[in-house]
Amino acid sequence: MTKKDIINSGKVKSVFATDKEDEVLIEFRDDMTAGDGERKEVMTKKGTYNAIISSKIFNVLEQAGVKTQFIELVKPNEMLAMKLDMIPIEVIIRNIATGSLVRNYPIEDGTKLNPPIVQMDYKDDEFHDPMLNHSIAKALGIATQDELDELEKLAFKVNDALKDFFDKAGIILVDFKIEFGKDKDGNIVLGDEISPDGCRLWDKETLDMLDKELFRKGKDDEVMEAYVEVYNRVIPDDEKAKFDL
Ligand code: 5GP
């Protein structure tokens, strides 16, 4: 596999072409951003921790029957992946009310949501990722009704698998954001990453935050300790041995 020209540079990841038309190399950088990219810091090895955690989660989801773009981790911070045409929708699942939900609606922080909430935001920093409904998504031409239904169905399936996965690691999956794309045949496939950057993860015993919310709250010196804690809990020791961390 040869790393070729850069195709896209996002806020925390860069995507490179490879010698295969339908595969890309995703480099997880050490950048951390908040507020639609307005605040940016470098956190040593953050890209590596996120790439390893994401790879593990994509493997778990494949075993649960969710198709993902993950192929293999070629370096600790570089993921070989199926090339997708990304859909600009952030699909969010909430198991516990917090964050923008409690800022925007009269619901108390920490309320258990049963059934969980599914929400879709339009992925666009310029517009500050506004919330979508099906009519708006269809009017924007970003997805059909069938595709929207499938995104929601897949997001619930991801939630079922990951709630269980994190629970076994003593972590509550509070909420998370995922993104999907289409493969060359038009099939919807889970893409991007699933890491402490886009999930709220709370310690089951102490309810301590183990995710990017610490950075959003300005607790920059606690962020990497939390990411390392998630890594230590979800990556088995024999898999950790492959990485020099
Ligand atoms: P909220 O809408 O409460 O701010 O976020 C809900 C969940 O989606 C949280 O787990 C948060 O991490 C994730 N999320 C929402 N928007 C974004 C985003 O633009 N980037 C990332 N990394 N995560 C997001």
Side-chain angles (χ1 to χ4, degrees), residues 133-153:
N133 63 24
H134 287 192
S135 303
I136 299 172
K138 286 183 281 184
L140 294 178
I142 52 181
T144 64
Q145 185 62 56
D146 284 350
E147 287 167 348
L148 294 166
D149 292 342
E150 191 174 351
L151 294 180
E152 293 186 354
K153 201 176 87 187

Side-chain angles (χ1 to χ4, degrees), residues 175-178 193-200 212 216 227:
D175 56 26
F176 61 93
K177 178 266 300 180
I178 47 181
E193 69 179 293
I194 304 186
S195 72
D197 265 19
C199 302
R200 286 200 180 91
K212 194 173 107 171
R216 296 190 190 104
Y227 280 45

Side-chain angles (χ1 to χ4, degrees), residues 90 92 94 98-101 103 119 121 129 175-177 197-200 212 216:
E90 299 184 339
I92 293 167
R94 300 177 188 274
T98 193
S100 68
L101 190 74
R103 283 200 302 277
Q119 174 190 331
D121 289 355
D129 299 348
D175 56 26
F176 61 93
K177 178 266 300 180
D197 265 19
C199 302
R200 286 200 180 91
K212 194 173 107 171
R216 296 190 190 104

